[in-house]
Amino acid sequence: PGETLEQGAIRETREETAYTFSPHWLQGIYSWHHPRKDITYLRFAFSGAVGAYDPQQALDDGIVRAIWMRVEEIRATQARHRSPLVMQCVEDHLAGKRYPLDLITHR
């Protein structure tokens, strides 16, 4: 079988940021329909602990770097977000929304 969603979150975090990541909970499951592209996106967002940075890790195509931003900066740059789900995930995290990882079943 393929990787679990948790394993995918760990791998994607490494490939997109060069940081290790340990998911502690499911932040939420989000759906958004992009009207111009007529595509619906389904996002599983995880929260947890960020670990070591690997400066030798190549980042995915199109990703320049990972940066840390205060919530005010994230809100101020919403026009640059890939979707409104980015801000929704941040707001849900700030609101304390968390679900156990075992909510997701992988077989």
Side-chain angles (χ1 to χ4, degrees):
E3 67 186 7
T4 66
L5 287 173
E6 289 173 54
Q7 291 167 331
I10 293 167
R11 177 185 48 75
E12 286 289 325
T13 301
R14 184 182 65 254
E15 291 173 355
E16 294 183 5
T17 70
Y19 282 91
T20 59
F21 175 67
S22 176
H24 292 176
W25 53 81
L26 176 67
Q27 187 64 51
I29 302 169
Y30 305 86
S31 175
W32 177 65
H33 181 78
H34 192 297
R36 282 185 282 126
K37 294 182 181 180
D38 195 28
I39 297 173
T40 298
Y41 295 91
L42 183 63
R43 173 184 291 220
F44 288 76
F46 294 87
S47 293
V50 175
Y53 173 73
D54 178 2
Q56 302 303 315
Q57 171 69 44
L59 300 180
D60 282 351
D61 287 341
I63 298 177
V64 178
R65 70 188 192 289
I67 60 171
W68 299 101
M69 300 171 76
R70 295 185 319 271
V71 69
E72 298 81 17
E73 294 170 304
I74 298 169
R75 287 185 182 122
T77 58
Q78 288 183 66
R80 295 176 47 201
H81 296 176
R82 289 190 295 181
S83 81
L85 298 180
V86 172
M87 197 67 231
Q88 184 65 56
C89 290
V90 171
E91 297 294 354
D92 285 353
H93 178 79
L94 294 172
K97 293 185 180 181
R98 291 162 178 75
Y99 304 94
L101 292 173
D102 64 5
L103 184 69
I104 301 168
T105 301
H106 179 79
R107 295 188 189 255

